[in-house]
Coordinates of all heavy atoms in Angstrom, one line a residue:
M98 N 3.3 -35.7 13.9 CA 4.2 -34.8 13.9 C 5.7 -35.4 14.0 O 5.9 -36.2 14.9 CB 4.2 -33.7 15.0 CG 5.1 -32.8 15.3 SD 4.8 -31.1 14.7 CE 3.1 -30.8 15.0
K99 N 6.5 -35.0 13.1 CA 7.9 -35.7 13.0 C 8.8 -34.7 13.8 O 8.8 -33.4 13.8 CB 8.5 -35.6 11.7 CG 7.7 -36.6 10.8 CD 8.2 -38.0 11.1 CE 7.8 -38.9 10.0 NZ 8.4 -40.2 10.0
L100 N 9.6 -35.5 14.6 CA 10.6 -34.6 15.4 C 12.2 -35.0 15.0 O 12.3 -36.2 14.7 CB 10.5 -35.1 17.0 CG 9.2 -35.1 17.5 CD1 9.2 -35.8 19.0 CD2 8.6 -33.7 17.6
Y101 N 12.9 -33.9 14.9 CA 14.2 -34.1 14.4 C 15.2 -33.6 15.4 O 15.0 -32.5 15.9 CB 14.4 -33.4 13.1 CG 13.6 -34.1 12.0 CD1 12.3 -33.5 11.7 CD2 13.9 -35.2 11.2 CE1 11.5 -33.9 10.8 CE2 13.2 -35.6 10.2 CZ 12.0 -35.1 10.0 OH 11.1 -35.6 9.0
T102 N 16.4 -34.1 15.6 CA 17.4 -33.6 16.5 C 18.3 -32.7 15.7 O 19.2 -32.0 16.4 CB 18.1 -34.8 17.3 OG1 18.8 -35.6 16.2 CG2 17.3 -35.6 18.2
T103 N 18.2 -32.8 14.5 CA 19.1 -31.9 13.5 C 18.3 -30.6 13.4 O 17.1 -30.4 13.4 CB 19.4 -32.5 12.3 OG1 18.2 -32.9 11.6 CG2 20.3 -33.8 12.4
D104 N 19.0 -29.6 12.8 CA 18.5 -28.4 12.4 C 18.1 -28.2 10.9 O 17.7 -27.2 10.5 CB 19.3 -27.1 12.9 CG 20.7 -27.2 12.1 OD1 21.0 -28.2 11.3 OD2 21.4 -26.2 12.2
F105 N 18.1 -29.3 10.2 CA 17.7 -29.5 8.8 C 17.0 -30.7 8.6 O 17.1 -31.7 9.5 CB 18.9 -29.4 7.9 CG 19.9 -30.6 8.1 CD1 19.7 -31.8 7.3 CD2 20.9 -30.5 9.0 CE1 20.5 -32.8 7.4 CE2 21.6 -31.7 9.2 CZ 21.6 -32.7 8.4
I106 N 16.3 -30.8 7.6 CA 15.5 -32.1 7.1 C 15.9 -32.2 5.8 O 15.6 -31.4 4.7 CB 14.1 -32.1 7.2 CG1 13.8 -31.6 8.7 CG2 13.3 -33.3 6.9 CD1 12.3 -31.2 9.0
S107 N 16.6 -33.3 5.4 CA 17.0 -33.5 4.0 C 15.8 -33.5 3.0 O 14.9 -34.2 3.2 CB 17.8 -35.0 3.9 OG 18.9 -35.0 4.6
G108 N 16.2 -32.8 1.9 CA 15.1 -32.6 0.9 C 14.0 -31.8 1.2 O 13.0 -31.7 0.4
K109 N 13.9 -31.2 2.3 CA 12.7 -30.3 2.7 C 13.2 -28.8 3.0 O 14.2 -28.6 3.5 CB 12.1 -30.8 4.0 CG 11.4 -32.1 4.0 CD 10.1 -32.0 3.3 CE 9.5 -33.4 3.4 NZ 8.1 -33.2 2.7
E110 N 12.4 -27.9 2.5 CA 12.6 -26.4 2.9 C 11.5 -26.1 3.7 O 10.3 -26.5 3.7 CB 12.5 -25.7 1.6 CG 13.7 -25.8 0.7 CD 13.6 -24.7 -0.4 OE1 13.3 -23.5 -0.3 OE2 14.0 -25.2 -1.6
F111 N 11.7 -25.3 4.8 CA 10.8 -25.0 5.8 C 11.0 -23.5 6.3 O 12.1 -23.0 6.2 CB 10.8 -26.0 6.9 CG 12.1 -26.2 7.5 CD1 12.5 -25.2 8.5 CD2 12.9 -27.3 7.3 CE1 13.7 -25.5 9.2 CE2 14.1 -27.6 7.9 CZ 14.4 -26.6 8.8
E112 N 9.9 -23.1 6.8 CA 9.9 -21.7 7.5 C 9.8 -22.0 8.9 O 9.1 -22.8 9.5 CB 8.6 -21.1 7.0 CG 8.3 -19.9 7.7 CD 6.8 -19.3 7.5 OE1 6.1 -20.0 6.7 OE2 6.4 -18.3 8.1
T113 N 10.7 -21.2 9.6 CA 10.7 -21.3 11.1 C 9.6 -20.5 11.7 O 9.3 -19.4 11.3 CB 12.0 -20.7 11.7 OG1 13.1 -21.5 11.1 CG2 12.1 -20.8 13.2
L114 N 8.9 -21.2 12.6 CA 7.7 -20.7 13.2 C 8.1 -20.0 14.7 O 8.0 -18.8 14.9 CB 6.5 -21.7 13.4 CG 6.0 -22.2 12.1 CD1 4.9 -23.3 12.3 CD2 5.5 -21.1 11.2
Q115 N 8.5 -20.8 15.5 CA 8.8 -20.3 16.9 C 9.4 -21.4 17.7 O 9.2 -22.7 17.4 CB 7.6 -19.9 17.6 CG 6.4 -20.9 17.9 CD 5.3 -20.2 18.7 OE1 4.7 -19.3 18.2 NE2 4.9 -20.9 19.6
M116 N 9.9 -21.1 18.9 CA 10.3 -22.2 19.8 C 9.1 -22.8 20.5 O 8.2 -22.0 20.7 CB 11.3 -21.6 20.8 CG 11.8 -22.8 21.7 SD 12.8 -22.0 23.1 CE 11.5 -22.1 24.3
V117 N 9.1 -24.2 20.7 CA 8.1 -24.7 21.4 C 8.6 -25.6 22.5 O 9.9 -26.1 22.3 CB 7.2 -25.7 20.4 CG1 6.4 -24.8 19.4 CG2 8.0 -26.6 19.6
R118 N 8.0 -26.0 23.5 CA 8.4 -26.6 24.6 C 7.3 -27.3 25.4 O 6.3 -27.0 25.1 CB 9.2 -25.7 25.7 CG 8.2 -24.8 26.2 CD 8.7 -24.2 27.5 NE 7.8 -23.2 28.1 CZ 6.7 -23.5 28.8 NH1 6.5 -24.8 29.0 NH2 6.0 -22.6 29.3
G119 N 7.7 -28.4 26.1 CA 6.7 -29.1 26.8 C 7.5 -29.5 28.2 O 8.8 -30.0 28.0
S120 N 6.9 -29.4 29.3 CA 7.6 -29.8 30.6 C 6.7 -30.4 31.5 O 5.5 -30.4 31.3 CB 8.3 -28.5 31.2 OG 7.2 -27.7 31.8
V121 N 7.3 -31.2 32.5 CA 6.5 -31.8 33.5 C 7.5 -32.1 34.7 O 8.6 -32.1 34.5 CB 6.1 -33.2 33.0 CG1 7.2 -34.2 32.7 CG2 5.1 -33.9 34.0
V122 N 6.9 -31.8 35.8 CA 7.7 -32.1 37.2 C 7.3 -33.4 37.8 O 6.1 -33.6 38.0 CB 7.4 -30.8 38.2 CG1 8.2 -31.1 39.4 CG2 7.9 -29.5 37.5
F123 N 8.2 -34.2 37.9 CA 7.8 -35.4 38.6 C 8.6 -35.5 39.9 O 9.6 -35.0 40.2 CB 8.4 -36.7 37.7 CG 7.4 -37.4 36.8 CD1 6.7 -36.6 35.9 CD2 7.0 -38.6 37.0 CE1 5.6 -37.1 35.1 CE2 6.0 -39.3 36.2 CZ 5.4 -38.4 35.3
S124 N 8.0 -36.2 40.9 CA 8.6 -36.4 42.2 C 8.7 -37.9 42.5 O 8.1 -38.8 41.9 CB 7.7 -35.8 43.4 OG 6.5 -36.5 43.5
K125 N 9.6 -38.3 43.3 CA 9.9 -39.5 43.8 C 8.7 -40.1 44.5 O 7.9 -39.3 45.1 CB 11.1 -39.6 44.7 CG 12.3 -39.2 44.0 CD 13.5 -39.4 45.0 CE 14.9 -38.8 44.7 NZ 15.9 -39.0 45.6
N126 N 8.6 -41.5 44.5 CA 7.5 -42.2 45.2 C 8.1 -42.8 46.3 O 9.2 -43.5 46.1 CB 6.9 -43.1 44.3 CG 5.7 -43.9 44.7 OD1 6.1 -44.7 45.6 ND2 4.7 -44.0 44.1
V127 N 7.6 -42.9 47.5 CA 8.1 -43.6 48.8 C 8.2 -45.1 48.5 O 9.3 -45.6 48.8 CB 7.2 -43.3 49.9 CG1 7.7 -44.2 51.2 CG2 7.1 -41.9 50.2
V128 N 7.4 -45.7 47.8 CA 7.5 -47.1 47.4 C 8.7 -47.4 46.5 O 9.5 -48.2 46.8 CB 6.2 -47.7 47.0 CG1 6.4 -49.1 46.5 CG2 5.1 -47.5 48.0
R129 N 8.8 -46.5 45.5 CA 10.0 -46.6 44.6 C 11.3 -46.4 45.3 O 12.3 -47.1 45.0 CB 9.7 -45.6 43.5 CG 8.9 -46.1 42.3 CD 9.1 -45.3 41.1 NE 8.1 -45.7 40.1 CZ 7.5 -44.9 39.4 NH1 7.5 -43.5 39.6 NH2 6.6 -45.3 38.5
D130 N 11.3 -45.5 46.1 CA 12.5 -45.0 46.9 C 13.0 -46.4 47.7 O 14.1 -46.5 47.8 CB 12.3 -43.9 47.9 CG 12.4 -42.7 47.2 OD1 12.7 -42.6 46.0 OD2 12.0 -41.7 47.7
V131 N 12.1 -46.9 48.4 CA 12.4 -48.2 49.2 C 13.1 -49.2 48.3 O 14.2 -49.7 48.7 CB 11.2 -48.7 50.0 CG1 11.6 -50.1 50.6 CG2 10.7 -47.9 51.0
F132 N 12.4 -49.6 47.2 CA 13.1 -50.6 46.4 C 14.3 -50.0 45.6 O 15.2 -50.8 45.4 CB 11.9 -51.0 45.1 CG 10.9 -51.8 45.8 CD1 9.7 -51.3 45.7 CD2 11.1 -53.2 46.2 CE1 8.5 -52.1 46.3 CE2 10.2 -53.9 46.8 CZ 8.8 -53.4 46.8
A133 N 14.4 -48.8 45.3 CA 15.6 -48.2 44.8 C 16.8 -48.3 45.8 O 17.9 -48.6 45.4 CB 15.4 -46.7 44.4
S134 N 16.5 -48.1 47.0 CA 17.5 -48.1 47.9 C 18.1 -49.6 48.2 O 19.3 -49.8 48.3 CB 17.0 -47.7 49.5 OG 16.6 -46.4 49.4
L135 N 17.1 -50.5 48.2 CA 17.6 -52.0 48.2 C 18.4 -52.3 46.9 O 19.4 -53.0 47.0 CB 16.4 -52.8 48.2 CG 15.6 -52.7 49.4 CD1 14.2 -53.5 49.3 CD2 16.4 -53.2 50.5
K136 N 18.0 -51.8 45.7 CA 18.7 -52.0 44.5 C 20.2 -51.5 44.5 O 21.0 -52.0 43.9 CB 17.8 -51.5 43.4 CG 18.3 -52.0 41.9 CD 18.2 -53.5 41.8 CE 18.5 -53.8 40.3 NZ 18.2 -55.2 40.0
T137 N 20.3 -50.4 45.2 CA 21.7 -49.7 45.2 C 22.7 -50.7 45.8 O 23.9 -50.5 45.7 CB 21.6 -48.3 45.8 OG1 21.2 -48.4 47.1 CG2 20.8 -47.5 44.9
I138 N 22.2 -51.5 46.8 CA 22.9 -52.4 47.7 C 23.5 -53.5 46.6 O 24.6 -53.9 46.6 CB 22.2 -53.0 48.8 CG1 21.9 -51.9 49.7 CG2 23.1 -54.2 49.4 CD1 20.9 -52.3 50.9
I139 N 22.7 -54.0 45.8 CA 23.2 -55.1 44.9 C 23.5 -54.8 43.6 O 24.0 -55.5 42.9 CB 21.9 -56.2 44.8 CG1 20.7 -55.7 44.3 CG2 21.7 -56.9 46.2 CD1 19.5 -56.7 44.1
G140 N 23.2 -53.5 43.2 CA 23.6 -52.9 41.9 C 22.5 -53.2 40.7 O 21.7 -54.0 41.0
G141 N 22.7 -52.6 39.8 CA 21.8 -52.9 38.5 C 20.9 -51.8 38.3 O 21.0 -50.7 39.0
E142 N 20.1 -51.8 37.3 CA 19.2 -50.9 37.0 C 17.9 -50.6 37.9 O 17.5 -51.6 38.4 CB 18.6 -51.1 35.5 CG 17.6 -50.1 35.1 CD 16.9 -50.4 33.7 OE1 17.1 -51.5 33.1 OE2 16.2 -49.6 33.2
I143 N 17.7 -49.5 38.2 CA 16.6 -49.2 39.0 C 15.4 -49.0 38.1 O 15.0 -47.9 37.6 CB 16.7 -47.9 39.8 CG1 18.0 -48.1 40.8 CG2 15.6 -47.7 40.8 CD1 18.6 -47.0 41.6
A144 N 14.7 -50.0 37.8 CA 13.7 -50.0 36.7 C 12.5 -49.0 37.0 O 11.9 -48.4 36.1 CB 13.0 -51.4 36.7
G145 N 12.1 -48.9 38.3 CA 11.0 -48.0 38.7 C 11.4 -46.5 38.3 O 10.5 -45.8 37.8
Y146 N 12.6 -46.2 38.4 CA 13.0 -44.7 38.1 C 13.1 -44.7 36.6 O 12.8 -43.6 36.0 CB 14.3 -44.4 38.8 CG 14.2 -44.0 40.2 CD1 15.2 -44.2 41.1 CD2 12.9 -43.5 40.7 CE1 15.1 -43.9 42.6 CE2 12.8 -43.2 42.0 CZ 13.8 -43.3 42.9 OH 13.8 -43.1 44.2
T147 N 13.6 -45.7 36.0 CA 13.7 -45.7 34.4 C 12.4 -45.5 33.8 O 12.1 -44.6 32.9 CB 14.3 -47.0 33.9 OG1 15.7 -47.0 34.5 CG2 14.4 -47.0 32.4
E148 N 11.4 -46.2 34.4 CA 10.0 -46.1 33.9 C 9.4 -44.7 34.1 O 8.8 -44.0 33.3 CB 9.1 -47.2 34.5 CG 7.7 -47.2 34.1 CD 6.9 -48.1 34.8 OE1 7.4 -49.1 35.4 OE2 5.6 -48.0 34.9
M149 N 9.8 -44.1 35.3 CA 9.2 -42.9 35.7 C 9.8 -41.8 34.8 O 9.0 -40.9 34.3 CB 9.6 -42.5 37.2 CG 9.1 -41.1 37.5 SD 9.6 -40.6 39.3 CE 11.4 -40.4 39.0
L150 N 11.2 -41.8 34.6 CA 11.7 -40.9 33.7 C 11.2 -40.9 32.2 O 11.1 -40.0 31.6 CB 13.2 -41.0 33.8 CG 13.8 -40.5 35.1 CD1 15.3 -40.7 35.1 CD2 13.6 -38.9 35.3
N151 N 11.1 -42.2 31.7 CA 10.6 -42.4 30.4 C 9.2 -41.8 30.2 O 8.8 -41.1 29.3 CB 10.6 -43.9 30.1 CG 11.9 -44.4 29.6 OD1 12.7 -43.6 29.1 ND2 12.0 -45.7 29.7
D152 N 8.3 -42.0 31.3 CA 7.0 -41.5 31.2 C 7.1 -40.0 31.2 O 6.3 -39.2 30.5 CB 6.2 -42.0 32.6 CG 5.8 -43.4 32.5 OD1 5.8 -44.0 31.4 OD2 5.4 -43.9 33.7
A153 N 7.9 -39.4 32.1 CA 8.1 -37.9 32.0 C 8.6 -37.3 30.7 O 8.0 -36.4 30.2 CB 9.1 -37.5 33.2
R154 N 9.6 -38.0 30.2 CA 10.0 -37.5 28.7 C 8.8 -37.5 27.7 O 8.7 -36.6 27.0 CB 11.1 -38.4 28.3 CG 12.4 -37.9 28.8 CD 13.5 -38.5 28.1 NE 13.7 -40.0 28.5 CZ 14.3 -40.5 29.6 NH1 14.9 -39.6 30.4 NH2 14.3 -41.7 29.8
N155 N 8.0 -38.7 27.8 CA 6.9 -38.9 26.9 C 5.8 -37.8 27.1 O 5.2 -37.2 26.2 CB 6.3 -40.1 26.9 CG 7.3 -41.3 26.4 OD1 8.0 -41.1 25.5 ND2 7.0 -42.5 26.8
I156 N 5.6 -37.5 28.3 CA 4.6 -36.4 28.6 C 5.1 -35.0 28.1 O 4.3 -34.2 27.5 CB 4.3 -36.3 30.2 CG1 3.5 -37.5 30.5 CG2 3.6 -35.0 30.3 CD1 3.4 -37.6 32.1
A157 N 6.5 -34.8 28.3 CA 7.0 -33.5 27.9 C 7.0 -33.4 26.3 O 6.8 -32.3 25.8 CB 8.5 -33.4 28.4
I158 N 7.3 -34.5 25.7 CA 7.2 -34.6 24.2 C 5.8 -34.3 23.7 O 5.5 -33.4 22.7 CB 7.8 -35.9 23.6 CG1 9.3 -36.0 23.8 CG2 7.4 -36.0 22.1 CD1 9.7 -37.5 23.5
E159 N 4.8 -34.9 24.4 CA 3.5 -34.7 23.9 C 3.0 -33.3 24.2 O 2.3 -32.7 23.3 CB 2.5 -35.7 24.7 CG 1.2 -35.8 24.2 CD 0.2 -34.7 24.7 OE1 0.4 -34.2 25.9 OE2 -0.7 -34.3 24.0
R160 N 3.4 -32.6 25.2 CA 3.0 -31.3 25.4 C 3.7 -30.3 24.4 O 3.2 -29.4 23.9 CB 3.3 -30.9 26.7 CG 2.4 -31.5 27.8 CD 2.9 -31.2 29.2 NE 1.7 -31.8 30.1 CZ 1.9 -31.8 31.5 NH1 2.9 -31.3 32.1 NH2 1.0 -32.5 32.2
M161 N 4.9 -30.6 24.1 CA 5.7 -29.8 23.1 C 5.1 -30.0 21.7 O 4.8 -28.9 20.9 CB 7.2 -30.3 23.0 CG 8.0 -29.5 21.9 SD 9.7 -30.3 21.8 CE 9.4 -31.9 21.3
T162 N 4.7 -31.2 21.3 CA 4.1 -31.4 20.0 C 2.7 -30.8 20.0 O 2.4 -30.2 18.9 CB 3.9 -33.0 19.9 OG1 5.2 -33.6 19.9 CG2 3.4 -33.3 18.5
R163 N 2.0 -30.8 21.0 CA 0.6 -30.2 21.0 C 0.8 -28.6 20.8 O 0.1 -27.9 20.0 CB -0.1 -30.3 22.4 CG -1.5 -29.9 22.4 CD -2.3 -30.2 23.8 NE -1.7 -31.4 24.4 CZ -1.6 -31.3 25.8 NH1 -2.0 -30.3 26.5 NH2 -1.2 -32.4 26.4
E164 N 1.9 -28.0 21.5 CA 2.1 -26.5 21.2 C 2.5 -26.2 19.8 O 2.0 -25.2 19.2 CB 3.1 -26.1 22.2 CG 3.4 -24.5 22.1 CD 4.5 -24.1 23.1 OE1 4.6 -24.6 24.2 OE2 5.3 -23.2 22.7
A165 N 3.3 -27.1 19.2 CA 3.7 -27.0 17.7 C 2.5 -27.1 16.9 O 2.4 -26.4 15.9 CB 4.8 -27.9 17.4
A166 N 1.5 -28.1 17.0 CA 0.3 -28.3 16.4 C -0.5 -27.0 16.4 O -1.0 -26.6 15.5 CB -0.4 -29.5 16.7
A167 N -0.6 -26.4 17.4 CA -1.4 -25.2 17.8 C -1.0 -23.9 16.9 O -1.7 -23.2 16.6 CB -1.4 -24.9 19.2
V168 N 0.4 -24.0 16.5 CA 0.8 -22.9 15.7 C 0.9 -23.4 14.1 O 1.6 -22.5 13.3 CB 2.2 -22.2 16.1 CG1 2.1 -21.7 17.5 CG2 3.3 -23.3 16.2
G169 N 0.4 -24.5 13.9 CA 0.4 -25.0 12.5 C 1.6 -25.7 12.0 O 1.8 -25.6 10.8
A170 N 2.4 -26.2 12.9 CA 3.8 -26.6 12.6 C 3.5 -28.1 11.9 O 2.7 -28.8 12.1 CB 4.7 -26.8 13.7
D171 N 4.4 -28.4 10.9 CA 4.6 -29.7 10.4 C 5.6 -30.6 10.9 O 5.4 -31.9 10.8 CB 4.9 -29.6 8.8 CG 3.9 -28.8 8.0 OD1 2.6 -29.1 8.1 OD2 4.2 -27.9 7.2
A172 N 6.6 -30.0 11.6 CA 7.5 -30.8 12.3 C 8.3 -29.8 13.4 O 8.0 -28.6 13.3 CB 8.6 -31.2 11.3
I173 N 9.2 -30.6 14.1 CA 9.9 -29.8 15.1 C 11.3 -30.2 14.9 O 11.7 -31.4 14.8 CB 9.5 -30.1 16.6 CG1 7.9 -29.9 16.7 CG2 10.3 -29.3 17.5 CD1 7.4 -30.4 18.1
V174 N 12.2 -29.2 14.6 CA 13.7 -29.6 14.4 C 14.5 -29.2 15.7 O 13.9 -28.4 16.6 CB 14.2 -28.8 13.3 CG1 13.5 -29.3 12.0 CG2 14.1 -27.4 13.3
N175 N 15.6 -29.5 15.8 CA 16.5 -29.2 17.0 C 16.0 -29.6 18.3 O 16.2 -28.9 19.3 CB 17.0 -27.6 17.0 CG 18.1 -27.4 16.3 OD1 19.0 -28.2 16.0 ND2 18.3 -26.2 16.0
V176 N 15.3 -30.7 18.4 CA 14.7 -31.2 19.7 C 15.8 -31.5 20.6 O 16.7 -32.2 20.3 CB 13.8 -32.4 19.3 CG1 13.3 -33.0 20.6 CG2 12.6 -32.1 18.4
R177 N 15.5 -31.0 21.9 CA 16.6 -31.3 23.0 C 15.7 -31.6 24.2 O 14.4 -31.2 24.4 CB 17.4 -30.0 23.2 CG 18.3 -29.7 21.9 CD 19.4 -30.5 21.6 NE 20.3 -30.2 20.6 CZ 20.2 -30.6 19.4 NH1 19.2 -31.3 19.0 NH2 21.1 -30.1 18.5
F178 N 16.4 -32.2 25.1 CA 15.8 -32.4 26.5 C 16.8 -31.8 27.5 O 18.0 -31.7 27.4 CB 15.8 -33.9 26.8 CG 14.8 -34.7 25.9 CD1 15.3 -35.2 24.7 CD2 13.5 -34.7 26.2 CE1 14.4 -35.8 23.9 CE2 12.5 -35.4 25.5 CZ 13.0 -35.9 24.1
A179 N 16.2 -31.3 28.6 CA 16.9 -30.8 29.8 C 16.2 -31.2 31.0 O 15.0 -31.4 31.0 CB 17.1 -29.3 29.6
T180 N 16.9 -31.2 32.0 CA 16.3 -31.5 33.4 C 16.7 -30.6 34.4 O 17.9 -29.9 34.2 CB 16.7 -33.0 34.0 OG1 18.2 -33.0 34.1 CG2 16.3 -34.1 33.0
A181 N 16.0 -30.3 35.5 CA 16.4 -29.3 36.5 C 15.7 -29.8 37.7 O 14.7 -30.3 37.7 CB 15.8 -28.0 36.1
S182 N 16.6 -29.7 38.8 CA 16.0 -30.0 40.2 C 15.2 -28.9 40.6 O 15.5 -27.7 40.5 CB 17.1 -30.3 41.1 OG 16.6 -30.6 42.3
V183 N 13.9 -29.3 41.0 CA 12.9 -28.3 41.5 C 13.0 -28.2 43.0 O 13.1 -27.1 43.4 CB 11.5 -28.7 41.1 CG1 10.5 -27.6 41.6 CG2 11.4 -28.7 39.6
M184 N 13.0 -29.1 43.6 CA 13.2 -29.4 45.1 C 13.7 -30.8 45.4 O 13.7 -31.6 44.5 CB 12.0 -29.0 45.8 CG 10.8 -29.9 45.5 SD 9.3 -29.5 46.3 CE 9.0 -30.8 47.4
A185 N 14.1 -31.1 46.6 CA 14.5 -32.3 46.9 C 13.5 -33.3 46.7 O 12.3 -33.3 46.9 CB 14.7 -32.4 48.5
G186 N 13.9 -34.5 45.8 CA 13.0 -35.5 45.5 C 12.2 -35.2 44.2 O 11.4 -36.0 44.0
S187 N 12.3 -34.1 43.5 CA 11.5 -33.8 42.4 C 12.3 -33.2 41.3 O 13.4 -32.5 41.6 CB 10.4 -33.0 42.6 OG 10.8 -31.7 42.9
A188 N 12.1 -33.4 40.1 CA 12.8 -32.9 38.9 C 11.9 -32.4 37.8 O 10.8 -33.1 37.6 CB 13.8 -33.9 38.4
E189 N 12.2 -31.5 36.9 CA 11.5 -31.0 35.8 C 12.3 -31.7 34.6 O 13.4 -31.5 34.5 CB 11.4 -29.6 35.6 CG 10.7 -28.9 34.5 CD 10.7 -27.5 34.4 OE1 11.7 -26.9 34.7 OE2 9.7 -27.1 33.8
I190 N 11.5 -32.2 33.7 CA 12.0 -32.6 32.5 C 11.4 -31.7 31.4 O 10.1 -31.5 31.4 CB 11.4 -34.1 32.1 CG1 11.7 -35.0 33.2 CG2 12.0 -34.6 30.8 CD1 13.2 -35.3 33.4
I191 N 12.2 -31.1 30.6 CA 11.9 -30.2 29.5 C 12.2 -30.7 28.2 O 13.4 -31.2 28.0 CB 12.4 -28.9 29.6 CG1 12.2 -28.3 31.1 CG2 12.0 -27.9 28.7 CD1 13.2 -27.1 31.6
A192 N 11.3 -30.7 27.1 CA 11.6 -31.0 25.8 C 11.3 -29.7 25.0 O 10.4 -29.0 25.2 CB 10.6 -32.1 25.3
Y193 N 12.2 -29.4 24.2 CA 12.2 -28.2 23.5 C 12.8 -28.2 22.0 O 13.6 -29.1 21.8 CB 12.7 -27.0 24.2 CG 14.1 -27.0 24.4 CD1 15.1 -26.3 23.5 CD2 14.7 -27.7 25.6 CE1 16.4 -26.5 23.8 CE2 16.0 -27.8 25.8 CZ 16.9 -27.2 24.9 OH 18.3 -27.1 25.2
G194 N 12.3 -27.4 21.2 CA 12.8 -27.4 19.8 C 12.1 -26.2 19.1 O 11.5 -25.4 19.6
T195 N 12.4 -26.2 17.6 CA 11.9 -25.2 16.8 C 10.8 -25.8 16.0 O 11.0 -26.7 15.2 CB 13.0 -24.6 16.1 OG1 14.1 -24.2 16.8 CG2 12.5 -23.4 15.1
A196 N 9.5 -25.2 15.9 CA 8.5 -25.5 15.2 C 8.6 -25.0 13.8 O 9.0 -23.8 13.5 CB 7.2 -25.1 15.8
V197 N 8.4 -25.8 12.8 CA 8.6 -25.4 11.3 C 7.5 -25.8 10.5 O 6.8 -26.8 10.8 CB 9.9 -26.1 10.8 CG1 11.2 -25.6 11.5 CG2 9.9 -27.5 10.7
K198 N 7.2 -25.1 9.5 CA 6.2 -25.2 8.3 C 6.9 -25.6 7.1 O 7.6 -24.7 6.7 CB 5.3 -24.0 8.4 CG 4.2 -24.2 7.5 CD 3.1 -24.9 8.1 CE 1.8 -24.9 7.2 NZ 0.8 -25.9 7.6
F199 N 6.5 -26.6 6.5 CA 7.2 -27.0 5.1 C 6.7 -26.0 4.2 O 5.5 -25.6 4.0 CB 6.8 -28.4 4.8 CG 7.5 -29.4 5.8 CD1 6.5 -30.6 6.0 CD2 8.7 -29.4 6.2 CE1 7.2 -31.4 6.9 CE2 9.2 -30.3 7.0 CZ 8.4 -31.4 7.3
K200 N 7.6 -25.6 3.3 CA 7.3 -24.9 2.0 C 6.8 -25.8 0.9 O 7.4 -26.9 0.8 CB 8.5 -24.0 1.5 CG 8.8 -22.9 2.6 CD 10.1 -22.1 2.0 CE 10.5 -21.0 3.1 NZ 11.6 -20.2 2.5
N201 N 5.9 -25.3 0.1 CA 5.4 -26.2 -1.0 C 6.4 -26.1 -2.2 O 7.1 -25.3 -2.6 CB 4.0 -25.8 -1.4 CG 3.2 -26.1 -0.3 OD1 3.3 -27.0 0.5 ND2 1.9 -25.4 -0.4

């Protein structure tokens, strides 16, 4: 399944099916927090959090793609991401877009 951040695909005509989304809620890890606290003292990237957020985005994309496939989509356009704080120490990552079917 191809994902596009634009609302068009050059050279393709398509029918809009529906909005699709995928989300996941991730929470902090005590061990990561200890290392992150130390890293804030010396500065630099907090690799543990970067990895955690990349994993969360990938899970959200996979869930969005699965929803699009279930409605027979060929691609997803207007793909966007959003985050929301759910409670202290956790966040929801949402991937969403418009499922489309190519015209012949």
Side-chain angles (χ1 to χ4, degrees):
M98 173 100 34
K99 292 280 191 171
L100 307 177
Y101 299 88
T102 58
T103 59
D104 61 354
F105 65 91
I106 304 169
S107 293
K109 294 281 189 180
E110 290 187 39
F111 54 79
E112 167 192 357
T113 298
L114 298 176
Q115 68 180 49
M116 185 186 95
V117 290
R118 64 163 182 78
S120 67
V121 62
V122 175
F123 262 64
S124 65
K125 294 181 188 177
N126 175 306
V127 174
V128 175
R129 276 191 184 138
D130 281 350
V131 170
F132 288 114
S134 296
L135 294 173
K136 191 66 172 183
T137 59
I138 295 169
I139 58 174
E142 179 182 6
I143 303 171
Y146 285 153
T147 299
E148 181 183 341
M149 179 184 74
L150 289 171
N151 281 333
D152 290 345
R154 275 189 291 274
N155 288 336
I156 291 168
I158 289 168
E159 192 275 325
R160 290 177 178 173
M161 175 183 65
T162 303
R163 193 177 331 137
E164 185 176 322
V168 297
D171 295 315
I173 305 171
V174 297
N175 266 342
V176 173
R177 301 288 185 264
F178 294 93
T180 61
S182 179
V183 176
M184 58 184 252
S187 67
E189 179 182 30
I190 308 292
I191 306 164
Y193 62 96
T195 304
V197 299
K198 182 85 173 158
F199 296 138
K200 293 182 179 179
N201 292 335

